[in-house]
Amino acid sequence: MTLFLDSEGPVPSITVRGEVDMSTAHLISELAEHVITRRPVRVILDLSQVTFFSAHGISALLRAEHAATRAKVTLILRDAARASPICWRPPRPDWLWTLRQSPQLGDPLGT
């Protein structure tokens, strides 16, 4: 897995490429938490180039979302393979975590 951080624009973007598994997932949350400490309004986490996503990846997303919530930063999940908002519903209702495409970002497919 490789991570690319684009912090040049007004909205920092983290692009994840390759396989997200037990040996790499923690890197996503660590980088997201680092970016969140800068207190941007939003952070984009682009998973459109991920080829495999394990349960450890879900844990990393949850850690990043918790960090963003604590810092009052909006975490936006972008997956170019889907044109609709992404909603993940975990087994317990109190874990509901919804990620939406921001209208300011335009078309999630990049067309």
Side-chain angles (χ1 to χ4, degrees), residues 1-4 15-20 46 49-51:
M1 179 192 75
T2 58
L3 297 172
F4 175 75
T15 302
V16 184
R17 294 182 181 133
E19 296 185 359
V20 179
D46 185 348
Q49 298 179 43
V50 171
T51 57

Side-chain angles (χ1 to χ4, degrees), residues 1 6-7 19 31-32 35 40 49 51-54 58-59 67 77-79 85 88 91-92 95 98 103-105 111:
M1 179 192 75
D6 180 3
S7 57
E19 296 185 359
L31 182 56
V35 172
Q49 298 179 43
T51 57
F52 174 78
F53 202 80
S54 74
I58 297 293
S59 294
L77 179 64
R78 179 183 281 174
D79 180 353
W88 176 62
R92 291 184 12 207
W95 288 0
T98 304
Q104 294 87 4
L105 296 177
T111 57

Side-chain angles (χ1 to χ4, degrees), residues 64-86:
E65 175 63 12
H66 288 261
T69 300
R70 283 191 307 273
K72 295 182 176 36
V73 172
T74 301
L75 181 64
I76 299 168
L77 179 64
R78 179 183 281 174
D79 180 353
R82 299 173 192 239
S84 62
I86 298 165

